[in-house]
Amino acid sequence: MTTSNNIKQLDKEYIAQTYGRFDLALSHGKGCDVWDFEGNQYLDFTSGIGVNSLGWADDDWLKAVTEQAGKLQHTSNLFFTEPSSLLAQKLANASGLKRAFFCNSGAEANEGAVKTARKYSHDKYGAGRSTVLTLVNSFHGRTISTLAATGQDVFHQHFFPFTDGFEYVPANDIQALKTRLEVNNVCGVLLEVVQGEGGVCSLDTEYMNAVQNLCQEKDIVFIIDEVQTGIGRTGTMFSYQQFGLQPDIVSLAKGLGGGLPIGSFLLGQKVENTLGKSDHGSTFGGNPVACAGANVVMDKISPEFLAEVTRKGQKTRESLAKLPKVKSVSGLGLMLGVEFEENVVASDVVVKCIEKGVLFLTAKAKLRLLPPLTITDAQIEHGLKVLKEVLENY
Ligand SMILES: *Cc1c(COP(=O)(O)O)cnc(C)c1O
């Protein structure tokens, strides 16, 4: 008989100890509920950090994935396959961008976006225009280059040397960007509409529009990292669509596969043909099983589905704001951050909620909610009731 303690013991002994895990070993899930090996049930507001967009074991997703695994589990990119071709068409239709490249994670998607921006500039202007600007407090991944792209010093303490050609500008400060762009060595600007790992911080609409205008003016590739915000999370398919933005490249991962590893970067008109044969590749990229799962996710996220995400997000936000010891609520759609009064530590709140059967996340000093997009009103109410009890007794 497997027990939670067996599993924790094996992890301790044999897995690289890079993760601060919750004291919980999960066995199986359905919808927004998940169970440990002793049969205890938990209500999920994490989606595996924004990944299980349809919850656990969605019937249609499960059918598509298992059927595809029985047909072709992998082919290599030397052959054409149906799931990746269909998925690329869906992503182009949903975004207005032209083409997709498929990879396996958010960091890889951002790496590909940066490669594209650099090649676009090199093809057109030659060497010396290769810097990519990102924002202070951003998060773009954990490879050597995407750590360099990440604008938080805590990520830059150990792994030298980092990839050159990344610089940070303060968020929501258009003058700082203007001043920096007086030096003509920038090929791309990369930002998140809502900084997720940075603490669920939304950028100002005017700022994002001004960034886009400056990029257009100076022929700089405008890249939006939608790895966390994309695929319905914020109430539109992509969060930039709520602000009338038209990025040149969009990176995706987390919610796209409904729980299977997949990343993508979408290429707009300006850069649709920048990458040519053998300029980029990935052994696992476009995996048929992952793409079959993603096709179901894309099909389910209809305008009606998105309206529900917006409604449930608004309702959750209003309820959170009324809870004791809550100072502010940030975010968009079902990507929400809760700032507490000084004496309340978010990670302690999470631990106390787990003891009462509800799973939440943190982001910096905030409590973070990224529930499955399919969460019901009754589940939201139950989760917030538990959170309220914990905060009342904190
Ligand atoms: C999670 C995340 C990434 C990194 O994705 P991985 O799949 O872990 O490589 C990049 N950007 C943003 C905004 C993210 O939230």
Side-chain angles (χ1 to χ4, degrees), residues 60 69 88 136-138 175 241 272-273 300 305 312 360 387:
D60 300 312
V136 173
N137 197 45
S138 57
Q175 192 50 52
Q241 293 171 322
E272 70 166 317
N273 296 316
K300 290 218 170 186
F305 185 101
K312 290 184 286 188
F360 292 107
L387 180 58

Side-chain angles (χ1 to χ4, degrees), residues 117-136:
R118 286 189 172 168
K119 183 160 188 292
Y120 173 82
S121 187
H122 189 262
D123 287 349
K124 204 160 162 182
Y125 302 102
R129 195 174 175 278
S130 56
T131 300
V132 172
L133 300 181
T134 67
L135 302 187
V136 173

Side-chain angles (χ1 to χ4, degrees), residues 49 104-108 110 139-143 146 192 194-197 225-229 251 253-254 262 335 368:
I49 319 188
N104 314 284
S105 69
E108 272 181 275
N110 285 328
F139 181 81
H140 298 296
R142 291 190 178 260
T143 61
T146 55
E192 302 153 89
V194 183
Q195 296 182 329
E197 302 307 310
D225 180 341
E226 291 262 1
V227 168
Q228 191 161 154
T229 51
S251 56
K254 291 192 166 86
I262 182 170
M335 175 176 181
R368 175 169 45 156

